[in-house]
Amino acid sequence: MRIKTTILYSLIASLGLANLGFAEDQADGRSLAFDRTKGNCLACHAIPGEPKAESPGNIGPPLVSMKARYPDRAELRARIWDETVVNPDTVMPPFGRNKILTEQEVELVTDYIQGL
Amino acid sequence: MKRKLAYIIMAGLLLGCAHTGPAKGPTDDRNALIKNYKQMLPDIKFDDYIYGALAMNPDAKGQYDDIMSFPPYSMDLDNGQKMWGKPFKNGKKFSSCFPNGGKNVAGNYPYFDNTANRVVTFENAINSCLKANGEEELKYAEKQMGLLTAYARSLSDGMKVNVKVEGAGALAAYEKGKAYYAARNGQLNFSCRSCHVQAAGKFIRMDQLSMMIGQASHWPEFRGGTDIVTLQGRFKQCEKNVRAKPKDANSEEYNNLEYYLTYMSNGLPMQTPVFRK
């Protein structure tokens, strides 16, 4: 019985850890995207696949089916880096060009967004 | 020969004119902007532009109407009234500085003063009045000025905004205000236009963005009911929010911006002060 509980506990613990590890990988890109002082993407974009993406704005299109729509990761990254290259009149901030996000942060956000 | 040359030059000039077309002026700017909003926000009546984002949300407008029937700032307005009515040391009052005792005049501001070669805002006129009467001027965009102008402008409630852009100096100031409005600024690369023209009616997070026409007809505002904000104070707040460096109140940039912005609200009724969340 005791052994069983220990196994159970360790099972839960490892599950929890695995879960945490998984969450953290994503969390980097995700929390950067959510953070109001960083990406703050939710100010303008809904992320319908994310239950935690509450009260988003609607200035930009919803970020969905990104992998299908942007099979080329470089293209997606370029838009996050500086959307004014694609559309000079856009209101979307140039996250990379204006150093709102660091280069590494742009990579993390791109990965996260492409997974949506 | 000379004649021929003259003809050629004249033809060239005419062609040049045809090419550039008639110069676009403030009237064209305003008509184009009205047309733009009519397309973007077809359900909102022009007269309701004074309600800004409230015009887009019947529930919020209903709450606003309730609040406005018993405004939480009525004490503040009383203080403004006392300031307006208090005689200067020389016995004169503010009302002596304005036509009609200050009634139905605020909608004519800002105007362009050709002698001084600059834009004169209503706040500038209040300070000129104090100075001319040997009194100390008020700090431009701060609370005392806010309280005084909340009352002084309320004497023009219902007056239509009536800003004129006439003459080369006035046009230059207007053009500078217009350029400022459209210029991208700060790390986030926004212009005023990004939010209040291109994204008018859209939500940025929880906030629905007001259209620029109608924004200038109701200042100062009481935000949250009692926190007084002047129009140029609001410019600063928007610029801070987008990590741009705000200009000083009463700077040439902000006065030109106010001139341009208020011209765009021409024809809409003044109402001061109002509540905003």
Side-chain angles (χ1 to χ4, degrees), chain A residues 34 36-37 40 42-43 55 57-59 88-91 93-94 98-100, chain B residues 184 186-190 193-195 198-199 201-206 209 243:
Chain A
F34 280 37
R36 283 167 199 261
T37 65
N40 199 15
L42 293 172
S55 46
N58 64 359
I59 298 177
D89 214 27
T90 187
V91 304
N98 272 16
K99 300 190 166 64
I100 303 160
Chain B
R184 291 183 186 262
Q187 191 185 31
L188 299 181
N189 207 38
F190 289 122
R193 192 178 154 267
S194 309
C195 289
Q198 291 179 274
K202 296 271 174 66
F203 284 87
I204 187 158
R205 287 266 184 186
M206 307 272 271
L209 289 161
R243 297 185 213 163

PDB file of all heavy atoms in Angstrom, chain A residues 34 36-37 40 42-43 55 57-59 88-91 93-94 98-100, chain B residues 184 186-190 193-195 198-199 201-206 209 243:
ATOM      1  N   PHE A  34       1.711  37.130 -24.593  1.00  0.00           N
ATOM      2  CA  PHE A  34       0.631  37.637 -23.738  1.00  0.00           C
ATOM      3  C   PHE A  34       1.052  38.890 -22.948  1.00  0.00           C
ATOM      4  O   PHE A  34       0.224  39.753 -22.670  1.00  0.00           O
ATOM      5  CB  PHE A  34       0.214  36.563 -22.725  1.00  0.00           C
ATOM      6  CG  PHE A  34      -0.716  35.509 -23.276  1.00  0.00           C
ATOM      7  CD1 PHE A  34      -0.579  35.042 -24.574  1.00  0.00           C
ATOM      8  CD2 PHE A  34      -1.734  34.986 -22.483  1.00  0.00           C
ATOM      9  CE1 PHE A  34      -1.429  34.071 -25.083  1.00  0.00           C
ATOM     10  CE2 PHE A  34      -2.608  34.007 -22.983  1.00  0.00           C
ATOM     11  CZ  PHE A  34      -2.445  33.550 -24.280  1.00  0.00           C
ATOM     12  N   ARG A  36       1.886  42.225 -21.437  1.00  0.00           N
ATOM     13  CA  ARG A  36       1.550  43.570 -21.919  1.00  0.00           C
ATOM     14  C   ARG A  36       2.773  44.438 -22.162  1.00  0.00           C
ATOM     15  O   ARG A  36       2.726  45.409 -22.911  1.00  0.00           O
ATOM     16  CB  ARG A  36       0.634  44.287 -20.923  1.00  0.00           C
ATOM     17  CG  ARG A  36      -0.791  43.795 -20.994  1.00  0.00           C
ATOM     18  CD  ARG A  36      -1.600  44.282 -19.792  1.00  0.00           C
ATOM     19  NE  ARG A  36      -2.786  43.457 -19.642  1.00  0.00           N
ATOM     20  CZ  ARG A  36      -3.986  43.814 -20.085  1.00  0.00           C
ATOM     21  NH1 ARG A  36      -4.161  44.958 -20.685  1.00  0.00           N
ATOM     22  NH2 ARG A  36      -5.019  43.015 -19.922  1.00  0.00           N
ATOM     23  N   THR A  37       3.873  44.104 -21.472  1.00  0.00           N
ATOM     24  CA  THR A  37       5.064  44.930 -21.664  1.00  0.00           C
ATOM     25  C   THR A  37       5.971  44.347 -22.752  1.00  0.00           C
ATOM     26  O   THR A  37       7.011  44.907 -23.056  1.00  0.00           O
ATOM     27  CB  THR A  37       5.880  45.036 -20.356  1.00  0.00           C
ATOM     28  OG1 THR A  37       6.378  43.738 -20.027  1.00  0.00           O
ATOM     29  CG2 THR A  37       5.027  45.548 -19.217  1.00  0.00           C
ATOM     30  N   ASN A  40       2.310  41.679 -26.199  1.00  0.00           N
ATOM     31  CA  ASN A  40       0.971  42.241 -26.047  1.00  0.00           C
ATOM     32  C   ASN A  40       0.129  42.008 -27.301  1.00  0.00           C
ATOM     33  O   ASN A  40      -0.646  42.869 -27.709  1.00  0.00           O
ATOM     34  CB  ASN A  40       1.071  43.745 -25.736  1.00  0.00           C
ATOM     35  CG  ASN A  40      -0.212  44.286 -25.114  1.00  0.00           C
ATOM     36  OD1 ASN A  40      -1.065  43.520 -24.664  1.00  0.00           O
ATOM     37  ND2 ASN A  40      -0.365  45.595 -25.110  1.00  0.00           N
ATOM     38  N   LEU A  42      -2.358  40.233 -27.716  1.00  0.00           N
ATOM     39  CA  LEU A  42      -3.799  40.194 -27.434  1.00  0.00           C
ATOM     40  C   LEU A  42      -4.439  41.579 -27.486  1.00  0.00           C
ATOM     41  O   LEU A  42      -5.653  41.698 -27.568  1.00  0.00           O
ATOM     42  CB  LEU A  42      -4.050  39.575 -26.051  1.00  0.00           C
ATOM     43  CG  LEU A  42      -3.693  38.093 -25.938  1.00  0.00           C
ATOM     44  CD1 LEU A  42      -3.800  37.640 -24.497  1.00  0.00           C
ATOM     45  CD2 LEU A  42      -4.607  37.269 -26.824  1.00  0.00           C
ATOM     46  N   ALA A  43      -3.632  42.621 -27.432  1.00  0.00           N
ATOM     47  CA  ALA A  43      -4.196  43.962 -27.581  1.00  0.00           C
ATOM     48  C   ALA A  43      -4.954  44.058 -28.899  1.00  0.00           C
ATOM     49  O   ALA A  43      -5.949  44.770 -29.000  1.00  0.00           O
ATOM     50  CB  ALA A  43      -3.088  45.017 -27.522  1.00  0.00           C
ATOM     51  N   SER A  55     -10.341  38.497 -23.272  1.00  0.00           N
ATOM     52  CA  SER A  55     -10.639  39.851 -23.738  1.00  0.00           C
ATOM     53  C   SER A  55      -9.596  40.438 -24.695  1.00  0.00           C
ATOM     54  O   SER A  55      -8.950  41.429 -24.399  1.00  0.00           O
ATOM     55  CB  SER A  55     -10.874  40.801 -22.565  1.00  0.00           C
ATOM     56  OG  SER A  55      -9.887  40.655 -21.567  1.00  0.00           O
ATOM     57  N   GLY A  57      -8.290  42.234 -28.269  1.00  0.00           N
ATOM     58  CA  GLY A  57      -8.785  43.249 -29.188  1.00  0.00           C
ATOM     59  C   GLY A  57      -9.092  42.623 -30.537  1.00  0.00           C
ATOM     60  O   GLY A  57      -8.949  41.412 -30.717  1.00  0.00           O
ATOM     61  N   ASN A  58      -9.541  43.444 -31.478  1.00  0.00           N
ATOM     62  CA  ASN A  58      -9.850  42.915 -32.813  1.00  0.00           C
ATOM     63  C   ASN A  58      -9.317  43.803 -33.937  1.00  0.00           C
ATOM     64  O   ASN A  58      -9.888  43.862 -35.012  1.00  0.00           O
ATOM     65  CB  ASN A  58     -11.361  42.696 -32.963  1.00  0.00           C
ATOM     66  CG  ASN A  58     -12.143  43.997 -32.876  1.00  0.00           C
ATOM     67  OD1 ASN A  58     -11.565  45.062 -32.679  1.00  0.00           O
ATOM     68  ND2 ASN A  58     -13.443  43.938 -33.047  1.00  0.00           N
ATOM     69  N   ILE A  59      -8.216  44.498 -33.670  1.00  0.00           N
ATOM     70  CA  ILE A  59      -7.638  45.355 -34.718  1.00  0.00           C
ATOM     71  C   ILE A  59      -6.989  44.495 -35.807  1.00  0.00           C
ATOM     72  O   ILE A  59      -7.078  44.804 -36.989  1.00  0.00           O
ATOM     73  CB  ILE A  59      -6.616  46.341 -34.101  1.00  0.00           C
ATOM     74  CG1 ILE A  59      -7.327  47.267 -33.101  1.00  0.00           C
ATOM     75  CG2 ILE A  59      -5.929  47.161 -35.182  1.00  0.00           C
ATOM     76  CD1 ILE A  59      -6.406  48.233 -32.389  1.00  0.00           C
ATOM     77  N   PRO A  88       3.062  49.015 -45.567  1.00  0.00           N
ATOM     78  CA  PRO A  88       3.650  50.227 -44.969  1.00  0.00           C
ATOM     79  C   PRO A  88       2.678  50.974 -44.060  1.00  0.00           C
ATOM     80  O   PRO A  88       3.086  51.709 -43.163  1.00  0.00           O
ATOM     81  CB  PRO A  88       3.995  51.098 -46.190  1.00  0.00           C
ATOM     82  CG  PRO A  88       4.045  50.166 -47.338  1.00  0.00           C
ATOM     83  CD  PRO A  88       3.127  49.017 -47.032  1.00  0.00           C
ATOM     84  N   ASP A  89       1.376  50.783 -44.283  1.00  0.00           N
ATOM     85  CA  ASP A  89       0.374  51.531 -43.527  1.00  0.00           C
ATOM     86  C   ASP A  89      -0.175  50.747 -42.328  1.00  0.00           C
ATOM     87  O   ASP A  89      -1.107  51.184 -41.671  1.00  0.00           O
ATOM     88  CB  ASP A  89      -0.774  51.893 -44.479  1.00  0.00           C
ATOM     89  CG  ASP A  89      -1.394  53.240 -44.132  1.00  0.00           C
ATOM     90  OD1 ASP A  89      -0.671  54.075 -43.552  1.00  0.00           O
ATOM     91  OD2 ASP A  89      -2.584  53.440 -44.424  1.00  0.00           O
ATOM     92  N   THR A  90       0.402  49.599 -42.033  1.00  0.00           N
ATOM     93  CA  THR A  90      -0.140  48.771 -40.949  1.00  0.00           C
ATOM     94  C   THR A  90      -0.021  49.472 -39.596  1.00  0.00           C
ATOM     95  O   THR A  90       0.853  50.318 -39.406  1.00  0.00           O
ATOM     96  CB  THR A  90       0.574  47.405 -40.858  1.00  0.00           C
ATOM     97  OG1 THR A  90      -0.115  46.594 -39.906  1.00  0.00           O
ATOM     98  CG2 THR A  90       2.024  47.561 -40.391  1.00  0.00           C
ATOM     99  N   VAL A  91      -0.897  49.116 -38.666  1.00  0.00           N
ATOM    100  CA  VAL A  91      -0.773  49.662 -37.311  1.00  0.00           C
ATOM    101  C   VAL A  91      -0.004  48.690 -36.408  1.00  0.00           C
ATOM    102  O   VAL A  91       0.265  48.993 -35.262  1.00  0.00           O
ATOM    103  CB  VAL A  91      -2.151  49.980 -36.677  1.00  0.00           C
ATOM    104  CG1 VAL A  91      -2.927  50.927 -37.553  1.00  0.00           C
ATOM    105  CG2 VAL A  91      -2.952  48.719 -36.408  1.00  0.00           C
ATOM    106  N   PRO A  93       2.908  47.047 -34.562  1.00  0.00           N
ATOM    107  CA  PRO A  93       4.268  47.504 -34.245  1.00  0.00           C
ATOM    108  C   PRO A  93       5.340  46.581 -34.828  1.00  0.00           C
ATOM    109  O   PRO A  93       5.148  45.362 -34.889  1.00  0.00           O
ATOM    110  CB  PRO A  93       4.305  47.463 -32.712  1.00  0.00           C
ATOM    111  CG  PRO A  93       2.881  47.502 -32.276  1.00  0.00           C
ATOM    112  CD  PRO A  93       2.121  46.780 -33.345  1.00  0.00           C
ATOM    113  N   PRO A  94       6.463  47.137 -35.267  1.00  0.00           N
ATOM    114  CA  PRO A  94       7.572  46.333 -35.791  1.00  0.00           C
ATOM    115  C   PRO A  94       8.407  45.773 -34.647  1.00  0.00           C
ATOM    116  O   PRO A  94       9.378  46.393 -34.206  1.00  0.00           O
ATOM    117  CB  PRO A  94       8.375  47.348 -36.619  1.00  0.00           C
ATOM    118  CG  PRO A  94       8.078  48.678 -36.001  1.00  0.00           C
ATOM    119  CD  PRO A  94       6.732  48.593 -35.349  1.00  0.00           C
ATOM    120  N   ASN A  98      12.109  47.574 -34.175  1.00  0.00           N
ATOM    121  CA  ASN A  98      12.159  48.595 -33.115  1.00  0.00           C
ATOM    122  C   ASN A  98      12.587  48.036 -31.758  1.00  0.00           C
ATOM    123  O   ASN A  98      12.438  48.691 -30.745  1.00  0.00           O
ATOM    124  CB  ASN A  98      10.806  49.306 -32.987  1.00  0.00           C
ATOM    125  CG  ASN A  98      10.715  50.488 -33.930  1.00  0.00           C
ATOM    126  OD1 ASN A  98      11.499  50.598 -34.856  1.00  0.00           O
ATOM    127  ND2 ASN A  98       9.757  51.377 -33.687  1.00  0.00           N
ATOM    128  N   LYS A  99      13.075  46.780 -31.771  1.00  0.00           N
ATOM    129  CA  LYS A  99      13.604  46.162 -30.543  1.00  0.00           C
ATOM    130  C   LYS A  99      12.591  46.148 -29.400  1.00  0.00           C
ATOM    131  O   LYS A  99      12.937  46.336 -28.238  1.00  0.00           O
ATOM    132  CB  LYS A  99      14.887  46.866 -30.092  1.00  0.00           C
ATOM    133  CG  LYS A  99      16.007  46.820 -31.132  1.00  0.00           C
ATOM    134  CD  LYS A  99      17.319  47.311 -30.524  1.00  0.00           C
ATOM    135  CE  LYS A  99      18.532  46.995 -31.377  1.00  0.00           C
ATOM    136  NZ  LYS A  99      18.557  47.659 -32.698  1.00  0.00           N
ATOM    137  N   ILE A 100      11.324  45.956 -29.758  1.00  0.00           N
ATOM    138  CA  ILE A 100      10.303  45.780 -28.723  1.00  0.00           C
ATOM    139  C   ILE A 100      10.527  44.392 -28.106  1.00  0.00           C
ATOM    140  O   ILE A 100      10.370  44.179 -26.923  1.00  0.00           O
ATOM    141  CB  ILE A 100       8.891  45.907 -29.332  1.00  0.00           C
ATOM    142  CG1 ILE A 100       8.743  47.267 -30.028  1.00  0.00           C
ATOM    143  CG2 ILE A 100       7.814  45.725 -28.267  1.00  0.00           C
ATOM    144  CD1 ILE A 100       7.616  47.317 -31.032  1.00  0.00           C
TER     145      ILE A 100
ATOM    146  N   ARG B 184       4.303  58.689 -37.248  1.00  0.00           N
ATOM    147  CA  ARG B 184       4.564  57.577 -36.338  1.00  0.00           C
ATOM    148  C   ARG B 184       5.617  58.001 -35.331  1.00  0.00           C
ATOM    149  O   ARG B 184       6.513  58.766 -35.640  1.00  0.00           O
ATOM    150  CB  ARG B 184       5.049  56.366 -37.120  1.00  0.00           C
ATOM    151  CG  ARG B 184       3.983  55.744 -37.991  1.00  0.00           C
ATOM    152  CD  ARG B 184       4.590  54.524 -38.633  1.00  0.00           C
ATOM    153  NE  ARG B 184       3.732  53.896 -39.620  1.00  0.00           N
ATOM    154  CZ  ARG B 184       2.966  52.841 -39.358  1.00  0.00           C
ATOM    155  NH1 ARG B 184       2.901  52.350 -38.145  1.00  0.00           N
ATOM    156  NH2 ARG B 184       2.259  52.283 -40.324  1.00  0.00           N
ATOM    157  N   GLY B 186       7.675  56.957 -31.406  1.00  0.00           N
ATOM    158  CA  GLY B 186       7.965  56.062 -30.288  1.00  0.00           C
ATOM    159  C   GLY B 186       8.268  54.633 -30.720  1.00  0.00           C
ATOM    160  O   GLY B 186       8.150  54.269 -31.892  1.00  0.00           O
ATOM    161  N   GLN B 187       8.648  53.814 -29.742  1.00  0.00           N
ATOM    162  CA  GLN B 187       9.079  52.449 -30.012  1.00  0.00           C
ATOM    163  C   GLN B 187       7.984  51.619 -30.687  1.00  0.00           C
ATOM    164  O   GLN B 187       8.262  50.796 -31.550  1.00  0.00           O
ATOM    165  CB  GLN B 187       9.492  51.782 -28.691  1.00  0.00           C
ATOM    166  CG  GLN B 187      10.191  50.463 -28.903  1.00  0.00           C
ATOM    167  CD  GLN B 187      10.477  49.749 -27.604  1.00  0.00           C
ATOM    168  OE1 GLN B 187       9.735  49.868 -26.630  1.00  0.00           O
ATOM    169  NE2 GLN B 187      11.559  48.994 -27.579  1.00  0.00           N
ATOM    170  N   LEU B 188       6.734  51.864 -30.302  1.00  0.00           N
ATOM    171  CA  LEU B 188       5.656  51.040 -30.854  1.00  0.00           C
ATOM    172  C   LEU B 188       5.204  51.510 -32.235  1.00  0.00           C
ATOM    173  O   LEU B 188       4.373  50.877 -32.873  1.00  0.00           O
ATOM    174  CB  LEU B 188       4.469  50.983 -29.892  1.00  0.00           C
ATOM    175  CG  LEU B 188       4.775  50.363 -28.519  1.00  0.00           C
ATOM    176  CD1 LEU B 188       3.525  50.323 -27.658  1.00  0.00           C
ATOM    177  CD2 LEU B 188       5.353  48.959 -28.651  1.00  0.00           C
ATOM    178  N   ASN B 189       5.735  52.668 -32.671  1.00  0.00           N
ATOM    179  CA  ASN B 189       5.546  53.095 -34.059  1.00  0.00           C
ATOM    180  C   ASN B 189       4.101  53.469 -34.401  1.00  0.00           C
ATOM    181  O   ASN B 189       3.653  53.309 -35.535  1.00  0.00           O
ATOM    182  CB  ASN B 189       6.009  51.958 -34.999  1.00  0.00           C
ATOM    183  CG  ASN B 189       6.470  52.446 -36.345  1.00  0.00           C
ATOM    184  OD1 ASN B 189       7.111  53.505 -36.432  1.00  0.00           O
ATOM    185  ND2 ASN B 189       6.147  51.713 -37.394  1.00  0.00           N
ATOM    186  N   PHE B 190       3.361  53.961 -33.420  1.00  0.00           N
ATOM    187  CA  PHE B 190       1.983  54.390 -33.676  1.00  0.00           C
ATOM    188  C   PHE B 190       1.936  55.868 -34.009  1.00  0.00           C
ATOM    189  O   PHE B 190       2.742  56.653 -33.506  1.00  0.00           O
ATOM    190  CB  PHE B 190       1.115  54.216 -32.422  1.00  0.00           C
ATOM    191  CG  PHE B 190       0.803  52.808 -32.061  1.00  0.00           C
ATOM    192  CD1 PHE B 190       1.144  52.306 -30.822  1.00  0.00           C
ATOM    193  CD2 PHE B 190       0.127  51.984 -32.940  1.00  0.00           C
ATOM    194  CE1 PHE B 190       0.835  51.003 -30.458  1.00  0.00           C
ATOM    195  CE2 PHE B 190      -0.187  50.684 -32.589  1.00  0.00           C
ATOM    196  CZ  PHE B 190       0.167  50.193 -31.347  1.00  0.00           C
ATOM    197  N   ARG B 193      -3.250  58.720 -35.862  1.00  0.00           N
ATOM    198  CA  ARG B 193      -4.069  58.203 -36.943  1.00  0.00           C
ATOM    199  C   ARG B 193      -4.214  56.672 -36.865  1.00  0.00           C
ATOM    200  O   ARG B 193      -5.275  56.129 -37.187  1.00  0.00           O
ATOM    201  CB  ARG B 193      -3.395  58.613 -38.259  1.00  0.00           C
ATOM    202  CG  ARG B 193      -4.209  58.434 -39.475  1.00  0.00           C
ATOM    203  CD  ARG B 193      -3.456  58.919 -40.723  1.00  0.00           C
ATOM    204  NE  ARG B 193      -3.977  58.184 -41.856  1.00  0.00           N
ATOM    205  CZ  ARG B 193      -3.468  57.054 -42.330  1.00  0.00           C
ATOM    206  NH1 ARG B 193      -2.375  56.551 -41.809  1.00  0.00           N
ATOM    207  NH2 ARG B 193      -4.046  56.435 -43.334  1.00  0.00           N
ATOM    208  N   SER B 194      -3.143  55.972 -36.457  1.00  0.00           N
ATOM    209  CA  SER B 194      -3.206  54.503 -36.389  1.00  0.00           C
ATOM    210  C   SER B 194      -4.438  54.073 -35.610  1.00  0.00           C
ATOM    211  O   SER B 194      -5.160  53.176 -36.020  1.00  0.00           O
ATOM    212  CB  SER B 194      -1.984  53.917 -35.670  1.00  0.00           C
ATOM    213  OG  SER B 194      -0.783  54.403 -36.172  1.00  0.00           O
ATOM    214  N   CYS B 195      -4.637  54.706 -34.456  1.00  0.00           N
ATOM    215  CA  CYS B 195      -5.701  54.256 -33.570  1.00  0.00           C
ATOM    216  C   CYS B 195      -7.042  54.918 -33.864  1.00  0.00           C
ATOM    217  O   CYS B 195      -8.061  54.254 -33.916  1.00  0.00           O
ATOM    218  CB  CYS B 195      -5.307  54.500 -32.114  1.00  0.00           C
ATOM    219  SG  CYS B 195      -3.991  53.363 -31.599  1.00  0.00           S
ATOM    220  N   GLN B 198      -7.448  54.770 -38.523  1.00  0.00           N
ATOM    221  CA  GLN B 198      -7.371  53.437 -39.129  1.00  0.00           C
ATOM    222  C   GLN B 198      -8.109  52.369 -38.317  1.00  0.00           C
ATOM    223  O   GLN B 198      -8.682  51.457 -38.893  1.00  0.00           O
ATOM    224  CB  GLN B 198      -5.906  53.023 -39.294  1.00  0.00           C
ATOM    225  CG  GLN B 198      -5.176  53.836 -40.346  1.00  0.00           C
ATOM    226  CD  GLN B 198      -3.723  53.407 -40.442  1.00  0.00           C
ATOM    227  OE1 GLN B 198      -2.877  53.888 -39.707  1.00  0.00           O
ATOM    228  NE2 GLN B 198      -3.438  52.497 -41.346  1.00  0.00           N
ATOM    229  N   ALA B 199      -8.066  52.479 -36.988  1.00  0.00           N
ATOM    230  CA  ALA B 199      -8.667  51.432 -36.161  1.00  0.00           C
ATOM    231  C   ALA B 199      -9.913  51.919 -35.413  1.00  0.00           C
ATOM    232  O   ALA B 199     -10.368  51.261 -34.479  1.00  0.00           O
ATOM    233  CB  ALA B 199      -7.633  50.883 -35.182  1.00  0.00           C
ATOM    234  N   GLY B 201     -13.388  52.352 -33.953  1.00  0.00           N
ATOM    235  CA  GLY B 201     -14.466  51.379 -33.817  1.00  0.00           C
ATOM    236  C   GLY B 201     -13.972  49.997 -33.424  1.00  0.00           C
ATOM    237  O   GLY B 201     -14.746  49.167 -32.968  1.00  0.00           O
ATOM    238  N   LYS B 202     -12.679  49.752 -33.608  1.00  0.00           N
ATOM    239  CA  LYS B 202     -12.112  48.458 -33.214  1.00  0.00           C
ATOM    240  C   LYS B 202     -11.762  48.479 -31.727  1.00  0.00           C
ATOM    241  O   LYS B 202     -11.662  49.539 -31.112  1.00  0.00           O
ATOM    242  CB  LYS B 202     -10.836  48.188 -34.022  1.00  0.00           C
ATOM    243  CG  LYS B 202     -11.070  48.057 -35.507  1.00  0.00           C
ATOM    244  CD  LYS B 202     -11.382  46.618 -35.871  1.00  0.00           C
ATOM    245  CE  LYS B 202     -11.774  46.423 -37.315  1.00  0.00           C
ATOM    246  NZ  LYS B 202     -10.698  46.687 -38.262  1.00  0.00           N
ATOM    247  N   PHE B 203     -11.543  47.278 -31.203  1.00  0.00           N
ATOM    248  CA  PHE B 203     -11.132  47.161 -29.803  1.00  0.00           C
ATOM    249  C   PHE B 203      -9.625  46.987 -29.704  1.00  0.00           C
ATOM    250  O   PHE B 203      -9.051  46.147 -30.385  1.00  0.00           O
ATOM    251  CB  PHE B 203     -11.796  45.950 -29.146  1.00  0.00           C
ATOM    252  CG  PHE B 203     -13.234  46.165 -28.801  1.00  0.00           C
ATOM    253  CD1 PHE B 203     -14.226  45.910 -29.737  1.00  0.00           C
ATOM    254  CD2 PHE B 203     -13.593  46.621 -27.540  1.00  0.00           C
ATOM    255  CE1 PHE B 203     -15.562  46.110 -29.424  1.00  0.00           C
ATOM    256  CE2 PHE B 203     -14.928  46.819 -27.215  1.00  0.00           C
ATOM    257  CZ  PHE B 203     -15.922  46.563 -28.163  1.00  0.00           C
ATOM    258  N   ILE B 204      -9.003  47.765 -28.834  1.00  0.00           N
ATOM    259  CA  ILE B 204      -7.626  47.499 -28.445  1.00  0.00           C
ATOM    260  C   ILE B 204      -7.755  46.970 -27.011  1.00  0.00           C
ATOM    261  O   ILE B 204      -8.163  47.696 -26.113  1.00  0.00           O
ATOM    262  CB  ILE B 204      -6.732  48.741 -28.596  1.00  0.00           C
ATOM    263  CG1 ILE B 204      -5.275  48.402 -28.353  1.00  0.00           C
ATOM    264  CG2 ILE B 204      -7.184  49.942 -27.789  1.00  0.00           C
ATOM    265  CD1 ILE B 204      -4.291  49.374 -28.975  1.00  0.00           C
ATOM    266  N   ARG B 205      -7.548  45.629 -26.879  1.00  0.00           N
ATOM    267  CA  ARG B 205      -7.968  44.942 -25.642  1.00  0.00           C
ATOM    268  C   ARG B 205      -9.436  45.263 -25.378  1.00  0.00           C
ATOM    269  O   ARG B 205     -10.263  45.034 -26.219  1.00  0.00           O
ATOM    270  CB  ARG B 205      -7.099  45.351 -24.449  1.00  0.00           C
ATOM    271  CG  ARG B 205      -5.736  44.758 -24.508  1.00  0.00           C
ATOM    272  CD  ARG B 205      -5.668  43.452 -23.730  1.00  0.00           C
ATOM    273  NE  ARG B 205      -4.291  42.963 -23.746  1.00  0.00           N
ATOM    274  CZ  ARG B 205      -3.910  41.803 -23.265  1.00  0.00           C
ATOM    275  NH1 ARG B 205      -4.784  40.988 -22.714  1.00  0.00           N
ATOM    276  NH2 ARG B 205      -2.661  41.423 -23.324  1.00  0.00           N
ATOM    277  N   MET B 206      -9.717  45.868 -24.194  1.00  0.00           N
ATOM    278  CA  MET B 206     -11.107  46.120 -23.808  1.00  0.00           C
ATOM    279  C   MET B 206     -11.604  47.485 -24.284  1.00  0.00           C
ATOM    280  O   MET B 206     -12.774  47.781 -24.150  1.00  0.00           O
ATOM    281  CB  MET B 206     -11.212  46.095 -22.280  1.00  0.00           C
ATOM    282  CG  MET B 206     -10.653  44.837 -21.658  1.00  0.00           C
ATOM    283  SD  MET B 206     -11.899  43.606 -21.582  1.00  0.00           S
ATOM    284  CE  MET B 206     -12.602  44.005 -19.980  1.00  0.00           C
ATOM    285  N   LEU B 209     -12.071  52.101 -29.774  1.00  0.00           N
ATOM    286  CA  LEU B 209     -11.378  53.336 -30.166  1.00  0.00           C
ATOM    287  C   LEU B 209     -12.327  54.348 -30.794  1.00  0.00           C
ATOM    288  O   LEU B 209     -13.030  54.050 -31.761  1.00  0.00           O
ATOM    289  CB  LEU B 209     -10.254  52.998 -31.138  1.00  0.00           C
ATOM    290  CG  LEU B 209      -9.071  52.275 -30.490  1.00  0.00           C
ATOM    291  CD1 LEU B 209      -8.217  51.570 -31.540  1.00  0.00           C
ATOM    292  CD2 LEU B 209      -8.226  53.250 -29.669  1.00  0.00           C
ATOM    293  N   ARG B 243       4.239  54.549 -25.367  1.00  0.00           N
ATOM    294  CA  ARG B 243       5.686  54.671 -25.159  1.00  0.00           C
ATOM    295  C   ARG B 243       6.328  55.699 -26.077  1.00  0.00           C
ATOM    296  O   ARG B 243       7.460  55.530 -26.527  1.00  0.00           O
ATOM    297  CB  ARG B 243       6.395  53.326 -25.356  1.00  0.00           C
ATOM    298  CG  ARG B 243       5.962  52.283 -24.364  1.00  0.00           C
ATOM    299  CD  ARG B 243       6.798  51.013 -24.561  1.00  0.00           C
ATOM    300  NE  ARG B 243       6.011  49.823 -24.272  1.00  0.00           N
ATOM    301  CZ  ARG B 243       6.328  48.609 -24.647  1.00  0.00           C
ATOM    302  NH1 ARG B 243       7.425  48.389 -25.350  1.00  0.00           N
ATOM    303  NH2 ARG B 243       5.566  47.578 -24.337  1.00  0.00           N
TER     304      ARG B 243
END
